[in-house]
Amino acid sequence: MAQKPSIPKGTRDFGQVEMARRNYIFDTIKGVFSLYGFQQIETPAMENIGTLMGKYGEEGDKLLFRIQNSGEKAALAPEKGLRYDLTVPFARYVVQHREELSFPFKRFQIQPVWRADRPQKGRYREFYQCDVDVIGSDSLIGELELIQIVEEVYRRLGINVCLHINNRKILAGIAEVIGAPDKIVDITVAIDKLDKIGVEAVNDELRERGLNEEQVEALQPILKQESGIRNQDKLASLKEFLASSETGLKGIAEMEEIFRLVESTKTASLKEESRFSIELDLCLARGLNYYTGAIFEVKALDAQIGSITGGGRYDNLTGIFGLPGVSGVGISFGADRIYDVLTELDLFPKALQSTTQVLFATFGQEELRYALTWAKELRAQGIAVEVYPEPTKMKKQMGYADSKQIPFVAIVGGDEMAQHKVMLKNMSTGEQQLMELGELVKALKS
Amino acid sequence: MAQKPSIPKGTRDFGQVEMARRNYIFDTIKGVFSLYGFQQIETPAMENIGTLMGKYGEEGDKLLFRIQNSGEKAALAPEKGLRYDLTVPFARYVVQHREELSFPFKRFQIQPVWRADRPQKGRYREFYQCDVDVIGSDSLIGELELIQIVEEVYRRLGINVCLHINNRKILAGIAEVIGAPDKIVDITVAIDKLDKIGVEAVNDELRERGLNEEQVEALQPILKQESGIRNQDKLASLKEFLASSETGLKGIAEMEEIFRLVESTKTASLKEESRFSIELDLCLARGLNYYTGAIFEVKALDAQIGSITGGGRYDNLTGIFGLPGVSGVGISFGADRIYDVLTELDLFPKALQSTTQVLFATFGQEELRYALTWAKELRAQGIAVEVYPEPTKMKKQMGYADSKQIPFVAIVGGDEMAQHKVMLKNMSTGEQQLMELGELVKALKS
């Protein structure tokens, strides 16, 4: 035989079990999005190269996949590239279709993206993103709804999470207060490493990045804030620290309002049932290039896997396409990592494995025909049925049911046919029972 | 403002209305596939170029989109290409994963494909295919189930269809009987034009393609077969015509068995209710390069749009990847054309337009908070709710509900709040009614 065919490195085939699980994740998320009035859009896999270039930094430009018509000469510069994320196409979409849209525009989008990254464990060249955004309003109800969505999605999936929240205005305020307003990125990049490298190493990095001793000293109250204390207490002490910074205080006010909104809409049942917490986390510094207000990151409590959802408030996403001053807020669910968490914690529903509820196994052509009429009746009742297409050895037919994890096999031999019945076998208990059509429908529907 | 951004020609953005409609089509089809135990797989957008090249003829090779890492020099031949259809990746998948699969393997796949075709009305460079196949069995129950699936999908969508069916063995038999066994493709290509150009022009084309007068004459009973006659009668006269061809008679036997299977599994209710017919159509000649048995094509009766579903039996799909002799049968639903038919015949359900059932409109910050707690309760009941994020002018909030076709608006002013009620406005009748939370839930759920 010829060499086994393969697929490009960093890409994946998804078999039926993986697809059932992935669909479970996406359907759960979509179900929650819909409750909040977010509606789905899709954009093309390929964008004009000008839409993509320069939007992801120098590194990003190098990781774009470019597309060439087969007819085109290789020397010709490709004019198209594959979607690198869902954010830039979304911004392009909003600007291009702004006259047809009603604002605030609430959209979600679940599509693959492609990056010419070096493939490694957990990093793929093709992977799905799952983004939800509301754009065209600076109301903090946007933040509230995204937090509620996170809570509800993970409650439905059964994953206990902590939502870390920060605010770019607070970070800017801190930089301002210590007299280094231009060093906000340096400061937050260093602070971001606090968990990993500790306070002393962060201080060293701050010095390397050009902060003087006085400034480093001024930052210590922030760095040494205990992680266990309540958000309200953190905000209270930050408020004092940031008293001289208008921006900083605005950030505090935003956070206070967000916490207030979350508190006031918590239903009693949810308070008890779910393990969902929110933590004000000054070390959170993702996306500082474009986030202007709240910044979110969600971590699973019972799995060591990093962020499974992240996002924030932006004020100028569409500015790159000539439509400035449109505020929005959005988050992205990491489907691959959620998949890994659900697998690690064994949280996928068992019933996902097979959609087929019963397989008809037969001993001869006549029985096979007989089974086909029953199958048609069952399907009309909404029951998923397969008929093994040949009256072959029973062992083979049973093996097929086993491998597809089909829970019941309806065996049809001459005796059963004569009685207008089938022998229903429960594949997990081994029990068998002779049944008429009506009984079979009842048994399979329960 | 900068120039409005755009997307590559031949590609499309799908807005929320289009997405809702497309999802309706795909969900309907998927629901039927599941009833028959077909399970979903996905393959990567990019395949190794060797997997794709030479599989679609010379024309096809030219229409492949090739992919280049941004880092790679343009002069380097690209090693990857975008998926051109779902059939070749499916064959690759079956061969690559054959040890993990249980046969007969029943899969469906719904993903976009890309072709560097010249874009024109109804022809896109990116479009979805929706394929369903069973591979690893030559049982005609495969054909039966695909026919049943076609019937059920179009019954659910409300489209009246005729399924045209032919058989390559019959076509081969005809070529054999008239003494031109090597001319099967020429003959069928010519016959295929019968509807468009008429018998005489077809005869001319047959002559051009190398048939002698005797052979053309021998074909006339086939060409002049009336289109109104019953399948059984067609098969009976064909049986005489093909009496000397073993292959031809095998084709007849297959068709007889398929018709018998369809007849014997027709339920009484379906017979009356649906307008679904099957027609043996010798002019159907699609996919002769690879189909070896039955060939299918489905046409909508009430729209002039060509084939909306097509497929057939193949015996050597996986041979191209080194696994010969595996028989399968499959069909492909044309989502774009189905979309067009549903639009033309106004068959999309009205409720698809909006998922949001109620918008809360408020007059002040306090009312807004109040609305948020109600929204949370309603969502916990599974009701899709939006809260307009700012207590702005009522006209603007109503306009938003209008543009998103949200059927109800719950108005919250000071009076309503004082009474622990909201004023529910029915947006189509204009009726208003003051309601408590429990009444609101009841009203929205009914």
Side-chain angles (χ1 to χ4, degrees):
Chain A
M1 187 183 295
Q3 206 192 339
K4 231 185 183 181
S6 64
I7 51 178
K9 58 181 181 177
T11 70
R12 291 168 288 176
D13 283 326
F14 296 116
Q16 55 258 50
V17 174
E18 286 152 308
M19 279 306 297
R21 292 178 167 186
R22 292 172 63 85
N23 284 339
Y24 165 71
I25 294 171
F26 290 132
D27 290 345
T28 301
I29 294 174
K30 282 159 85 165
V32 178
F33 289 170
S34 299
L35 283 181
Y36 288 81
F38 288 88
Q39 291 180 313
Q40 191 170 14
I41 69 161
E42 282 190 4
T43 62
M46 48 183 84
E47 294 276 354
N48 291 322
I49 199 76
T51 301
L52 303 173
M53 287 294 286
K55 305 305 190 298
Y56 306 105
E58 248 178 77
E59 254 327 287
D61 281 354
K62 278 189 207 145
L63 299 183
L64 290 174
F65 281 112
R66 287 148 181 268
I67 297 171
Q68 216 177 283
N69 297 9
S70 246
E72 287 173 3
K73 289 208 186 90
L76 232 89
E79 289 168 356
K80 295 179 283 288
L82 285 178
R83 192 167 52 214
Y84 180 88
D85 70 359
L86 302 181
T87 306
V88 167
F90 172 55
R92 192 266 309 144
Y93 181 93
V94 169
V95 177
Q96 186 175 334
H97 300 278
R98 62 185 178 278
E99 269 127 43
E100 311 142 37
L101 301 177
S102 19
F103 293 94
F105 177 51
K106 301 171 92 169
R107 88 86 170 79
F108 74 89
Q109 190 169 356
I110 302 177
Q111 291 191 275
V113 301
W114 296 270
R115 297 181 184 178
D117 244 325
R118 184 189 300 275
Q120 49 181 268
K121 193 179 176 304
R123 186 187 291 168
Y124 304 100
R125 293 185 145 193
E126 172 180 68
F127 58 97
Y128 272 74
Q129 289 194 333
C130 175
D131 283 19
V132 59
D133 290 82
V134 50
I135 193 165
S137 161
D138 58 7
S139 164
L140 295 173
I141 289 176
E143 279 81 343
L144 169 69
E145 290 194 344
L146 295 182
I147 292 170
Q148 291 178 331
I149 283 171
V150 166
E151 176 175 356
E152 182 63 13
V153 163
Y154 289 112
R155 194 185 67 75
R156 291 186 181 192
L157 293 175
I159 300 175
N160 301 317
V161 297
C162 178
L163 185 145
H164 297 253
I165 186 167
N166 198 359
N167 192 302
R168 190 219 159 91
K169 295 191 181 79
I170 293 179
L171 295 174
I174 291 171
E176 205 180 307
V177 163
I178 66 165
D182 56 325
K183 287 274 192 287
I184 172 173
V185 172
D186 289 296
I187 294 169
T188 49
V189 165
I191 291 183
D192 192 28
K193 296 180 184 163
L194 193 59
D195 275 353
K196 278 190 201 138
I197 63 177
V199 174
E200 284 318 313
V202 167
N203 287 342
D204 286 344
E205 180 154 347
L206 289 167
R207 289 178 197 110
E208 271 167 43
R209 286 173 176 272
L211 264 66
N212 62 34
E213 267 327 298
E214 204 179 343
Q215 290 167 336
V216 171
E217 192 52 40
L219 260 184
Q220 295 313 299
I222 303 295
L223 294 180
K224 287 173 179 161
Q225 216 178 33
E226 285 166 67
S227 68
I229 68 169
R230 294 191 319 147
N231 296 322
Q232 277 79 349
D233 298 335
K234 274 191 207 171
L235 282 176
S237 68
L238 268 173
K239 211 172 194 168
E240 286 176 38
F241 186 86
L242 295 172
S244 64
S245 161
E246 198 184 327
T247 306
L249 290 177
K250 181 137 202 306
I252 298 286
E254 285 180 13
M255 298 312 288
E256 285 175 340
E257 174 67 5
I258 291 170
F259 284 123
R260 219 165 16 228
L261 285 168
V262 170
E263 239 2 90
S264 72
T265 54
K266 253 193 183 157
T267 47
S269 64
L270 283 174
K271 262 182 198 159
E272 293 165 27
E273 165 190 329
S274 79
R275 280 178 55 198
F276 170 78
S277 59
I278 306 185
E279 191 187 326
L280 177 63
D281 179 359
L282 295 180
C283 299
L284 179 58
R286 60 182 285 152
L288 278 177
N289 296 337
Y290 44 96
Y291 291 139
T292 53
I295 306 171
F296 304 108
E297 198 161 85
V298 180
K299 284 179 180 162
L301 295 180
D302 308 315
Q304 297 291 326
I305 203 158
S307 164
I308 53 178
T309 295
R313 162 75 62 180
Y314 44 84
D315 279 337
N316 199 21
L317 183 67
T318 55
I320 43 175
F321 297 113
L323 186 67
V326 181
S327 187
V329 58
I331 52 174
S332 183
F333 286 85
D336 286 311
R337 287 193 174 174
I338 294 172
Y339 189 101
D340 291 344
V341 172
L342 291 172
T343 304
E344 186 182 327
L345 304 178
D346 197 19
L347 289 172
F348 280 112
K350 294 291 165 282
L352 291 179
Q353 309 285 336
S354 178
T355 51
T356 303
Q357 287 159 273
V358 63
L359 172 77
F360 279 87
T362 59
F363 290 112
Q365 287 300 340
E366 216 180 323
E367 288 92 334
L368 184 50
R369 294 256 180 123
Y370 178 79
L372 287 170
T373 62
W374 280 54
K376 185 95 190 236
E377 290 293 343
L378 292 178
R379 287 177 187 134
Q381 303 276 340
I383 298 166
V385 178
E386 289 188 59
V387 177
Y388 197 87
E390 286 143 35
T392 181
K393 285 184 192 128
M394 197 44 50
K395 200 181 157 194
K396 195 167 176 191
Q397 302 186 58
M398 289 291 175
Y400 177 83
D402 247 358
S403 72
K404 279 189 91 168
Q405 300 187 262
I406 299 171
F408 293 97
V409 174
I411 302 165
V412 189
D415 287 355
E416 285 83 7
M417 230 173 83
Q419 297 179 63
H420 296 285
K421 292 189 174 174
V422 298
M423 180 68 80
L424 187 70
K425 178 171 179 163
N426 181 320
M427 293 297 279
S428 58
T429 65
E431 276 178 286
Q432 302 199 145
Q433 207 184 331
L434 212 56
M435 287 187 180
E436 290 174 351
L437 181 59
E439 295 168 317
L440 182 62
V441 170
K442 220 180 269 173
L444 293 172
K445 278 200 164 175
S446 69
Chain B
M1 186 183 293
Q3 204 192 341
K4 230 184 184 181
S6 64
I7 50 178
K9 59 181 180 176
T11 70
R12 290 168 289 175
D13 283 326
F14 296 116
Q16 55 259 49
V17 174
E18 284 152 309
M19 279 305 296
R21 292 178 168 186
R22 291 171 64 84
N23 285 338
Y24 165 70
I25 295 171
F26 290 132
D27 290 345
T28 301
I29 294 173
K30 282 159 84 165
V32 177
F33 288 170
S34 300
L35 283 181
Y36 289 81
F38 287 88
Q39 292 181 312
Q40 193 170 11
I41 69 162
E42 283 189 4
T43 62
M46 47 183 83
E47 295 276 353
N48 292 322
I49 199 76
T51 301
L52 302 172
M53 288 292 286
K55 306 304 190 299
Y56 306 105
E58 250 176 75
E59 254 329 285
D61 281 355
K62 278 188 207 146
L63 299 183
L64 290 175
F65 280 112
R66 288 147 180 269
I67 297 171
Q68 214 176 280
N69 297 6
S70 247
E72 288 172 3
K73 288 206 187 91
L76 231 89
E79 288 168 357
K80 295 179 283 289
L82 284 178
R83 191 167 52 215
Y84 180 88
D85 71 358
L86 302 180
T87 306
V88 167
F90 172 55
R92 192 266 309 145
Y93 180 92
V94 168
V95 177
Q96 186 176 334
H97 300 278
R98 62 184 178 277
E99 268 127 44
E100 312 142 35
L101 302 177
S102 20
F103 293 94
F105 177 52
K106 301 171 95 170
R107 89 85 171 80
F108 72 90
Q109 190 170 356
I110 301 176
Q111 292 191 275
V113 301
W114 296 270
R115 298 181 182 178
D117 243 326
R118 184 189 300 273
Q120 48 180 269
K121 191 176 177 305
R123 185 188 290 169
Y124 304 102
R125 293 185 144 194
E126 172 180 69
F127 57 97
Y128 272 74
Q129 289 195 333
C130 175
D131 282 19
V132 58
D133 289 82
V134 52
I135 193 166
S137 160
D138 59 6
S139 164
L140 295 174
I141 288 176
E143 279 81 345
L144 169 70
E145 290 194 343
L146 295 182
I147 292 170
Q148 290 179 331
I149 283 172
V150 166
E151 175 175 357
E152 182 62 13
V153 163
Y154 289 112
R155 194 185 67 76
R156 291 187 181 192
L157 292 175
I159 301 175
N160 302 317
V161 296
C162 178
L163 185 145
H164 297 250
I165 187 168
N166 198 359
N167 193 300
R168 191 219 159 87
K169 295 190 181 82
I170 293 180
L171 295 174
I174 292 171
E176 205 182 308
V177 162
I178 66 165
D182 56 324
K183 287 275 191 287
I184 171 173
V185 172
D186 289 295
I187 294 170
T188 49
V189 165
I191 292 184
D192 191 27
K193 297 179 184 164
L194 192 60
D195 275 352
K196 281 191 200 138
I197 63 177
V199 174
E200 283 317 313
V202 167
N203 287 342
D204 285 344
E205 179 155 348
L206 289 167
R207 288 179 196 109
E208 272 167 42
R209 287 174 176 270
L211 264 66
N212 60 35
E213 267 325 298
E214 204 180 343
Q215 290 167 337
V216 171
E217 192 53 39
L219 260 183
Q220 296 314 300
I222 303 296
L223 294 180
K224 287 173 178 161
Q225 219 177 32
E226 286 167 66
S227 67
I229 68 170
R230 294 192 319 147
N231 296 321
Q232 277 80 346
D233 297 335
K234 274 192 206 170
L235 281 176
S237 69
L238 267 173
K239 211 174 197 167
E240 285 177 37
F241 186 86
L242 295 172
S244 65
S245 161
E246 198 184 328
T247 306
L249 289 178
K250 184 141 199 305
I252 298 285
E254 285 180 12
M255 299 311 289
E256 285 176 340
E257 174 67 6
I258 292 170
F259 284 123
R260 219 167 13 230
L261 285 168
V262 169
E263 237 4 87
S264 72
T265 55
K266 252 192 182 156
T267 49
S269 64
L270 283 174
K271 264 182 198 159
E272 295 164 26
E273 165 189 329
S274 78
R275 281 179 55 200
F276 170 78
S277 59
I278 306 184
E279 190 187 327
L280 177 64
D281 179 359
L282 294 179
C283 299
L284 179 57
R286 59 182 286 150
L288 277 178
N289 295 336
Y290 44 97
Y291 291 139
T292 52
I295 305 171
F296 305 109
E297 198 160 84
V298 179
K299 285 180 180 161
L301 295 180
D302 308 315
Q304 296 292 326
I305 204 159
S307 166
I308 54 179
T309 295
R313 161 75 61 180
Y314 44 82
D315 280 337
N316 199 20
L317 185 65
T318 56
I320 44 176
F321 298 112
L323 186 68
V326 182
S327 186
V329 59
I331 53 173
S332 182
F333 286 85
D336 286 310
R337 287 194 174 172
I338 294 172
Y339 188 101
D340 291 343
V341 172
L342 291 171
T343 304
E344 187 184 327
L345 303 178
D346 197 20
L347 289 172
F348 280 113
K350 294 292 165 281
L352 291 178
Q353 309 284 334
S354 177
T355 52
T356 303
Q357 287 158 272
V358 63
L359 172 77
F360 279 88
T362 61
F363 290 111
Q365 286 299 340
E366 216 180 323
E367 289 91 334
L368 184 50
R369 293 256 179 124
Y370 178 80
L372 287 170
T373 62
W374 280 53
K376 185 96 190 231
E377 290 294 342
L378 293 178
R379 288 177 186 132
Q381 303 276 339
I383 298 166
V385 178
E386 289 189 60
V387 178
Y388 197 87
E390 286 142 34
T392 182
K393 283 181 194 130
M394 198 42 52
K395 199 181 155 195
K396 195 168 175 189
Q397 301 186 60
M398 289 292 175
Y400 177 83
D402 247 357
S403 73
K404 281 188 87 168
Q405 299 187 263
I406 299 173
F408 294 98
V409 174
I411 301 164
V412 189
D415 287 353
E416 285 84 7
M417 229 172 83
Q419 298 178 65
H420 295 284
K421 292 188 174 175
V422 298
M423 181 67 81
L424 187 70
K425 177 171 180 163
N426 181 321
M427 294 295 279
S428 57
T429 66
E431 276 178 285
Q432 301 199 144
Q433 205 184 333
L434 212 55
M435 287 188 182
E436 290 173 353
L437 182 58
E439 295 169 317
L440 182 62
V441 170
K442 219 179 271 174
L444 292 171
K445 278 199 163 176
S446 69

